[in-house]
């Protein structure tokens, strides 16, 4: 879902800019860019830890929002709590999607059963899909927190097959995350399309397909 269908990076950045102004973070940081760079680096690390089961969902959210403030000497748990709650209440209504995704889903939905397989949180993902007007294309949303196992581990892919009454040999994973989506699908014998949003030229192995743009999906399916 995130950065494959729903434009997570853009929507998140827009929301952070809104929150930066609302909470007057210019009191603490030289610029929004300084704040967002601190947040983004630590956030990526925390999601990896969460994916490995080393931290909880609550620890992930507390740490990623408090980290930038702690780097500039601000230790305010009440501020972090208010900020994080406000952030989540705002981001789910952002509507940006990846380029040409509506046209692609309209096309695919007429030929295939479409499902979401995500490491995201249910209370966020479903509203994000409604806000972006893409929920109508998907028959089911399968989330890692449903069973406590995250992509790329095989268990979540097998669970998705069971939950959607699908088979690996006739299923195809489309995703922008090389490790979670492409390697995860390959390791269970599922076909995979790498959505190469950053235009990478070299890959650790040859994926089933690579697409740089949703318009290319018609060449494959």
């Amino acid at each position: 879902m995130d950065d494959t269908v729903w434009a997570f990076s853009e929507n998140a950045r827009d929301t952070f800019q809104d929150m930066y102004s609302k909470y007057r973070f210019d009191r603490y940081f030289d610029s929004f860019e300084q704040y967002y760079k601190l947040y983004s680096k630590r956030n990526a690390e925390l999601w990896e830890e969460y994916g490995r089961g080393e931290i909880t969902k609550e620890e992930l959210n507390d740490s990623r929002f408090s980290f930038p403030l702690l780097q500039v000497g601000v230790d305010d748990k009440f501020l972090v709590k208010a900020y994080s709650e406000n952030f989540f209440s705002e981001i789910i209504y952002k509507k940006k999607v990846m380029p040409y995704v509506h046209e692609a889903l309209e096309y695919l939905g007429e030929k295939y059963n479409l499902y979401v397989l995500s490491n995201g949180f249910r209370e966020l993902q479903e509203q994000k899909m409604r806000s972006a007007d893409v929920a109508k294309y998907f028959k089911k949303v399968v989330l890692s927190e449903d069973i406590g196992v995250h992509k790329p581990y095989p268990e979540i892919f097998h669970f998705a097959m069971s939950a959607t009454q699908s088979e690996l040999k006739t299923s195809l994973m489309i995703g922008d995350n090389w490790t979670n989506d492409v390697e995860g699908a390959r390791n269970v014998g599922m076909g995979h399309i790498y959505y190469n949003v950053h235009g990478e030229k070299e890959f650790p192995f040859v994926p089933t397909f690579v697409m740089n743009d949703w318009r290319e999906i018609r060449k494959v399916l």
Side-chain angles (χ1 to χ4, degrees):
M1 176 54 55
D2 291 342
D3 279 337
T4 298
V5 174
W6 191 74
F8 173 80
S9 295
E10 285 190 62
N11 288 323
R13 186 183 179 91
D14 289 348
T15 308
F16 275 115
Q17 285 187 311
D18 293 343
M19 296 297 102
Y20 186 88
S21 297
K22 182 174 182 177
Y23 285 86
R24 296 178 50 235
F25 273 16
D26 56 355
R27 293 175 292 170
Y28 312 125
F29 300 93
D30 295 335
S31 65
F32 171 75
E33 295 301 330
Q34 180 199 13
Y35 167 79
Y36 198 59
K37 184 176 181 179
L38 287 168
Y39 169 84
S40 298
K41 182 177 185 300
R42 184 59 182 141
N43 181 57
E45 296 168 349
L46 288 164
W47 270 102
E48 290 181 4
E49 293 172 19
Y50 177 67
R52 295 192 296 266
E54 297 171 0
I55 59 174
T56 66
K57 171 182 172 181
E58 291 71 24
E59 289 171 329
L60 164 67
N61 285 329
D62 179 67
S63 296
R64 62 174 169 165
F65 287 108
S66 62
F67 179 81
L69 289 165
L70 290 173
Q71 304 315 296
V72 293
V74 179
D75 185 3
D76 188 335
K77 291 182 172 56
F78 294 104
L79 172 61
V80 170
K81 184 175 186 297
Y83 180 93
S84 62
E85 289 176 353
N86 201 180
F87 174 85
F88 287 127
S89 70
E90 294 286 338
I91 193 173
I92 56 177
Y93 295 104
K94 297 295 184 182
K95 300 179 179 181
K96 289 182 180 177
V97 294
M98 303 305 285
Y100 309 105
V101 76
H102 280 289
E103 296 90 334
L105 292 177
E106 194 75 40
Y107 167 76
L108 293 173
E110 294 178 355
K111 303 177 67 176
Y112 303 98
N113 293 325
L114 305 181
Y115 307 100
V116 171
L117 177 58
S118 172
N119 284 349
F121 306 135
R122 184 169 297 281
E123 66 269 23
L124 305 179
Q125 295 297 69
E126 293 182 346
Q127 180 56 54
K128 283 153 52 175
M129 292 171 66
R130 289 192 291 269
S131 297
D133 195 29
V134 296
K136 61 188 177 185
Y137 298 113
F138 297 97
K139 295 183 178 295
K140 195 177 187 68
V141 177
V142 180
L143 300 177
S144 59
E145 65 178 2
D146 292 341
I147 61 167
V149 178
H150 307 87
K151 296 183 296 180
Y153 294 103
E155 293 86 348
I156 186 61
F157 287 91
H158 291 299
F159 175 75
M161 294 298 99
S162 176
T164 60
Q165 298 184 337
S166 304
E167 297 183 19
L168 289 171
K169 64 182 180 180
T170 56
S171 298
L172 190 68
M173 182 74 187
I174 304 176
D176 71 296
N177 187 294
W178 181 267
T179 300
N180 290 344
D181 302 322
V182 177
E183 288 187 358
R186 179 187 188 232
N187 290 340
V188 295
M190 183 191 294
H192 42 275
I193 296 179
Y194 180 46
Y195 183 15
N196 187 18
V197 293
H198 301 297
E200 296 167 45
K201 303 297 184 184
E202 298 182 0
F203 311 107
F205 57 83
V206 179
T208 309
F209 301 104
V210 176
M211 72 175 193
N212 298 300
D213 187 304
W214 268 107
R215 289 174 295 185
E216 298 175 18
I217 201 68
R218 291 173 181 262
K219 300 176 183 178
V220 179
L221 296 172

